[in-house]
């Protein structure tokens, strides 16, 4: 490995250390407690070093969200690609969404369950061509294919948002209320997906 490659690997490793430390502080203490100084103390670097990678703590929060969305996009885009029907491909993507949230609860809580509007604008997250835009386009495409196959003329974006809300509800409740006497988790998730997709199997009443 060349010196340049080693330096690039070190830079990327340190950048990830910064994000991981910020995530831990956010989840443990909240946004008000987060500071460049506290992040620096946690990773044992100077605050000046943190500023070489991120403009401020809002910028760190933005990149935490983007990191989550990138990981999620990878999981959802690969889900169900070998399934034989549009509905099964959509179902696989929705299941991947739920599984991602439950397997990455720390990332999910920061991106989807915290009130970020005061620090990171939704417009910046949804910037055209960004990962959130690609994720939405992917899911709308899966929904559109399923709607066409089922003979439905519902609006794909509206259906996507309704399905997203349903899946988010399951994920956030399972993460936020682990002590509730839930039924068997697998059965709950599969039942939830069956119910949320049942309306796509029949054409709505005109």
């Amino acid at each position: 490995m060349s010196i340049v490659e080693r330096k690039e690997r070190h830079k990327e490793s340190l950048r990830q250390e910064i994000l991981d430390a910020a995530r831990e502080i956010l989840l443990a203490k909240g946004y008000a407690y987060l500071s460049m100084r506290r992040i620096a103390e946690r990773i044992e670097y100077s605050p000046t070093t943190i500023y070489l990678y991120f403009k401020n703590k809002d910028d760190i929060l933005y990149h935490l969200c983007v990191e989550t969305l990138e990981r999620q996009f990878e999981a959802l885009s690969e889900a169900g690609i070998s399934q034989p029907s549009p509905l099964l491909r959509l179902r696989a993507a929705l299941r991947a969404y739920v599984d991602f949230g439950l397997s990455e609860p720390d990332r999910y809580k920061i991106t989807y369950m915290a009130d970020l509007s005061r620090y990171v604008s939704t417009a910046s997250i949804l910037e055209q061509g960004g990962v959130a835009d690609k994720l939405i386009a992917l899911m709308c495409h899966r929904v559109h294919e399923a709607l066409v196959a089922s003979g439905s003329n519902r609006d794909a974006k509206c259906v996507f948002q309704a399905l997203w809300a349903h899946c988010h509800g399951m994920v956030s409740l399972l993460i936020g209320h682990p002590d509730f006497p839930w039924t068997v988790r697998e059965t709950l998730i599969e039942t939830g997906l069956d119910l949320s997709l049942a309306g796509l199997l029949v054409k709505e009443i005109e």
Side-chain angles (χ1 to χ4, degrees), residues 16 109 141:
Q16 190 61 53
K109 282 189 283 188
H141 178 68

Side-chain angles (χ1 to χ4, degrees), residues 156-177:
K157 183 177 288 187
C158 183
V159 172
F160 154 66
Q161 291 181 357
L163 292 172
W164 175 26
H166 184 97
C167 289
H168 171 69
M170 281 201 294
V171 174
S172 60
L173 283 171
L174 288 169
I175 291 175
H177 301 277

Side-chain angles (χ1 to χ4, degrees), residues 63-101:
H63 282 91
L64 283 173
C65 294
V66 169
E67 178 191 59
T68 297
L69 293 168
E70 288 173 343
R71 294 167 71 95
Q72 193 175 40
F73 178 77
E74 182 179 354
L76 269 63
S77 61
E78 294 176 357
I81 55 177
S82 62
Q83 291 291 346
S85 75
L87 186 66
L88 290 176
R89 289 193 288 274
L90 172 59
R91 194 183 196 285
L94 295 175
R95 179 60 200 252
Y97 180 97
V98 174
D99 289 344
F100 176 85

Side-chain angles (χ1 to χ4, degrees), residues 5 11 15 51 68 97 104 135 194:
E5 288 174 328
K11 286 172 62 177
R15 181 181 184 278
Y51 283 106
T68 297
Y97 180 97
E104 303 261 21
L135 182 57
D194 286 343

Side-chain angles (χ1 to χ4, degrees), residues 4-71:
V4 172
E5 288 174 328
R6 279 199 296 270
K7 286 183 177 179
E8 286 301 316
R9 180 171 292 187
H10 174 72
K11 286 172 62 177
E12 182 55 35
S13 176
L14 180 54
R15 181 181 184 278
Q16 190 61 53
E17 278 190 66
I18 294 168
L19 290 174
D20 290 343
R23 186 184 307 106
E24 291 169 5
I25 294 170
L26 278 167
L27 291 170
K29 299 287 188 177
Y31 184 84
Y33 189 82
L34 182 68
S35 70
M36 305 299 255
R37 178 179 59 80
R38 290 191 172 103
I39 294 170
E41 288 173 353
R42 180 162 295 220
I43 66 173
E44 298 182 339
Y45 276 85
S46 70
T48 303
T49 301
I50 312 299
Y51 283 106
L52 295 175
Y53 292 83
F54 301 99
K55 293 182 292 186
N56 49 44
K57 63 180 187 177
D58 288 355
D59 189 39
I60 290 176
L61 185 53
Y62 167 81
H63 282 91
L64 283 173
C65 294
V66 169
E67 178 191 59
T68 297
L69 293 168
E70 288 173 343
R71 294 167 71 95

